[in-house]
Amino acid sequence: MSSDLLKYLSEKVQEEMKVMETDCILGKAKDFGDYKYACGIYRGLLIANNVLIETAERMENNDE
């Protein structure tokens, strides 16, 4: 797997995070439970994105 693929996946995750941020800002949560659920999804995307970025950086450093 190339670091380019990981960077592409990271960009897609970031796009999804921006959609969730916008939904949160606009108050699209129906209730507190819905808000908590969205926060959990956002946190999961944030963790996944950090793993993708870290892995891409490690791959680039190993190539040097």
Side-chain angles (χ1 to χ4, degrees):
M1 184 180 303
S2 73
S3 62
D4 290 337
L5 175 60
L6 294 173
K7 289 177 183 178
Y8 171 78
L9 292 172
S10 175
E11 289 171 7
K12 290 298 177 184
V13 168
Q14 289 176 20
E15 287 174 13
E16 198 60 38
M17 289 171 63
K18 287 181 184 181
V19 169
M20 295 199 72
E21 289 171 11
T22 302
D23 287 350
C24 219
I25 290 168
L26 295 175
K28 294 206 174 180
K30 297 172 192 150
D31 56 17
F32 185 66
D34 199 23
Y35 173 78
K36 280 178 47 175
Y37 177 78
C39 288
I41 297 293
Y42 187 87
R43 184 168 189 256
L45 289 171
L46 185 61
I47 291 168
N49 191 50
N50 288 338
V51 169
L52 289 169
I53 291 170
E54 181 181 314
T55 304
E57 288 174 356
R58 286 184 181 190
M59 288 178 72
E60 287 175 357
N61 289 337
N62 286 339
D63 289 342
E64 293 175 357

